[in-house]
Amino acid sequence: MKSWKRLGDLLLEVVIAVVVVTAGIIYVVEHPTADQHWDIIALLGNTAIVFGFLISWFRDAWKSLFFWSVIVLLLLGHMALYLLVLHHIQEWPLTYYVLFNTGELVLFTPIIRKLVSKHPDNP
């Protein structure tokens, strides 16, 4: 039964990814001369990947308000740091996002696990 649930989750993730990529392609085709702000688009994609994994990994804590508070604080810190970096560095290769995604997941996972598991709000 659990494998069907995981298959359903995977299917939903694929559908969301296809919709987002298709919408992006349609926008670029319809507005070829518009400034696309690729640095912000890459940041949003990176943020969706990192926090999408974190949220899915801690499914058992979704009912906890404290969990969502920790996620929001990590998200705000993530965005502030990346916006500061992007403001000072004009050319930020996508390869760096892969490296930093891994680092953030390695750093954030034990933080969330430790904070959420010890909090009385955790179901």
Side-chain angles (χ1 to χ4, degrees), residues 8-62:
D9 289 348
L10 185 61
L11 181 62
L12 178 62
E13 292 164 5
V14 169
V15 167
I16 290 170
V18 168
V19 167
V20 169
V21 169
T22 302
I25 291 171
I26 290 170
Y27 179 80
V28 169
V29 168
E30 294 292 321
H31 303 91
T33 59
D35 183 14
Q36 305 303 332
H37 303 287
W38 292 112
D39 52 344
I40 299 298
I41 292 170
L43 171 62
L44 293 175
N46 166 64
T47 302
I49 290 168
V50 170
F51 287 89
F53 274 116
L54 289 172
I55 290 169
S56 71
W57 289 346
F58 290 93
R59 178 182 292 260
D60 57 329
W62 285 6

Side-chain angles (χ1 to χ4, degrees), residues 2-108:
K2 207 170 202 178
S3 63
W4 285 109
K5 176 69 174 142
R6 178 62 193 133
L7 186 61
D9 289 348
L10 185 61
L11 181 62
L12 178 62
E13 292 164 5
V14 169
V15 167
I16 290 170
V18 168
V19 167
V20 169
V21 169
T22 302
I25 291 171
I26 290 170
Y27 179 80
V28 169
V29 168
E30 294 292 321
H31 303 91
T33 59
D35 183 14
Q36 305 303 332
H37 303 287
W38 292 112
D39 52 344
I40 299 298
I41 292 170
L43 171 62
L44 293 175
N46 166 64
T47 302
I49 290 168
V50 170
F51 287 89
F53 274 116
L54 289 172
I55 290 169
S56 71
W57 289 346
F58 290 93
R59 178 182 292 260
D60 57 329
W62 285 6
K63 293 180 181 176
S64 169
L65 179 61
F66 184 72
F67 166 74
W68 292 107
S69 301
V70 170
I71 289 290
V72 167
L73 287 174
L74 290 173
L75 178 65
L76 291 174
H78 163 91
M79 293 297 286
L81 183 64
Y82 273 89
L83 288 173
L84 180 70
V85 168
L86 288 174
H87 180 70
H88 292 292
I89 300 174
Q90 298 303 318
E91 294 295 322
W92 183 261
L94 288 176
T95 308
Y96 288 178
Y97 282 114
V98 174
L99 297 173
F100 285 108
N101 283 357
T102 306
E104 282 184 306
L105 289 170
V106 167
L107 178 68
F108 291 168

